[in-house]
Amino acid sequence: MRQDWIPLNCGENGVKNKWKVNCLDRHVQTCPERVALIWERDEPGTEVKITYRQLLELTCRLGNLLKRQGVRRGDCVTIYMPPCPLAVASMLACARIGAAHNVVFAGFSSEALADRIRDAQSSTVITVNQGVRGGKVVDLKRTVDQAVQNCPSVQQVLVAMRTENTVAMTDRDVPLEEEMMKEDVVCEPVAMDSEDVLFLLYTSGSTGKPKGLVHTQAGYLLYTSLTHRYVFNYHDGDVFGCVADIGWITGHSYIVYGPLCNGGTTVLFESTPVYPNPGRYWEMVERLGINQFYGAPTAIRLLLKYGDEWVQNYNRSSLKTLGSVGEPINTEAWEWYHRVVGDGRCPVVDTWWQTETGGICIAPRPSDPEAEIVPGMAMRPFYGIKPALLDTEGEVLSSNDSTGALCISQAWPGMARTIHNHHQRFTETYFHPYPGFFFTGDGAHRSKEGYYQIVGRLDDVINVSGHRLGTAELEDVVNQCPGVAESAAIGYSHDIKGEGVYVFVVLKKAVMVEEDVLAQQLREMVSRSIAKYACPDFIQVVRCLPKTRSGKIMRRVLRKVVERNTDELGDLSTLDDPDSVHEVISGHRRLC
Ligand code: PRX
């Protein structure tokens, strides 16, 4: 593996510049040698530290390179990279020259990447030759090569070298380090309007293809920096360890923009929670002196199963706040996180928010570092957030101890402004279900004391290990299998992943296929079209799906069958073919 990957030529130029740019220049003027990024590489103990001065230099060189390659203000650059300093510099370089970035999670398949590049109309893609994760090398450049074959807009691919292995380069490919070293270390930042686009980020909805949510300059940065400071009780000099991937909104807001705007030291985690062993997170906490640790319940549930020793082997006295994000955290995981990881002395902040909200909206301690926290509850709205619960009739539930659709009743700085190219879809999805309110897609309970607890999605979005997956997106892939007539995908409760994927399949007439063969074929298709995490855990062939007389699949019924709640199937009088349910019940796989 390459040890010397960061091309730096630590000149003084960056320090002397006159610009007050929020995430870099400001800090370079006051504390140029403060560490901005700690790149926690896959192999423990090989971390690389990048100061604010170095990060500004990388960003300027990259900005100049992008300009030389023809990227202009208003263009959109797609970034397909794992967490690493050049990925952060690429995002900031786009911001510096007024281009939007579109980071695509480097676990997405070539087809998913191609969809996002096409929708964003990117002419430039930035990637690495290979990724390294959990001791394995991943051919990311090859995935990009496959994707861009179907993306006529792409004129160039900038390729950074994460490993020493050479990869085939075409005329379209630009060796990133080599070319950026030819550039000047000063790049004048472009002044943008507060409502200009900062980035697009694609996320799944309950219908159709993933949507490119648009976040803008000023409100987003203000919101991420404020929430980063208050929700995590962040102070100058703290080392902030968010172990998400930069390909998700959590990485954008709490690895890159929030911490850097606050002049913080932020960790970029390249590995997995169990590499080389289940003590990885806590060994890293000790070695890097992490003060705030921010992770996902799915990882906590996984590590809990390996026992307390993996945690107790390491000194975690640096920890001050523990954060949770992406899915509901069950009480057992919360208690373990608090008692074992935090030694009972670190508050656990369960933070609720979404790609759409830009930053944390509901969290235990936005204003008072001493306030009460109830395990497993997101608790209190952040400054300026006005949550509302609405019933099925669209009436606001004004009393406490009520459960309803979680909406937000007034705009806030970090909210997404539109869906790229589809403003109508934006208004229909978020503002039409409950007129006058932003609808989050989630359900929530407000306790007697007025605290919020998130119940889960109300729409057809599955949350697998904190990753959003639309059932329509999944069914679209499954239905492309030549033997499949139709399908229905649903989420079911999974003790590690939060939700697993169960797919019911109806075969075309006269198609005979072994279930194992079909399952293998469908898993490969899903992995190729979306990503590995989206692969169904269970596939069941049925003669027909339970539908209403108007032809709507009764997912509610399928969910009850999969949850083994067949006594609670509810009203079946609208079913077109009541026998279909009995058939589904008798063929249903025992979940393990
Ligand atoms: O259902 C909620 C769940 O994740 C969804 C947002 O997913 P995404 O846009 O990918 O962003 C994830 C990271 C912010 C929400 O609609 N979710 C997120 N945080 C929580 C949560 N569910 C329960 N508790 C949370 N703390």
Side-chain angles (χ1 to χ4, degrees), residues 203 248-250 324-329 350-356 378 440 442 454 456-457 463 466 468:
T203 191
W248 307 113
I249 191 71
T250 308
S324 170
V325 62
E327 42 167 336
I329 180 162
D350 173 14
T351 62
W352 175 86
W353 58 297
Q354 320 175 288
T355 307
E356 291 84 343
T440 65
D442 282 320
I454 310 305
R457 298 291 304 193
N463 192 326
R468 265 159 82 159

Side-chain angles (χ1 to χ4, degrees), residues 390 393-394 407 423-440:
L390 278 81
E393 308 298 310
C407 296
H423 192 65
Q424 197 183 340
R425 189 176 174 199
F426 182 70
T427 52
E428 279 170 5
T429 308
Y430 301 108
F431 299 99
H432 286 187
Y434 298 96
F437 295 88
F438 169 87
F439 174 46
T440 65

Side-chain angles (χ1 to χ4, degrees), residues 49-67:
K49 294 184 176 168
I50 305 286
T51 65
Y52 271 94
R53 181 162 57 86
Q54 292 171 323
L55 184 57
L56 175 62
E57 183 187 314
L58 286 174
T59 302
C60 286
R61 285 183 191 276
L62 254 165
N64 286 331
L65 173 59
L66 289 172
K67 283 197 285 189

Side-chain angles (χ1 to χ4, degrees), residues 507-512:
L507 294 177
K508 286 183 185 151
K509 283 213 167 59
V511 169
M512 303 281 281

Side-chain angles (χ1 to χ4, degrees), residues 195-210:
E195 286 298 300
D196 280 339
V197 177
L198 177 61
F199 66 84
L200 313 185
L201 188 60
Y202 284 80
T203 191
S204 297
S206 51
T207 55
K209 291 235 179 234

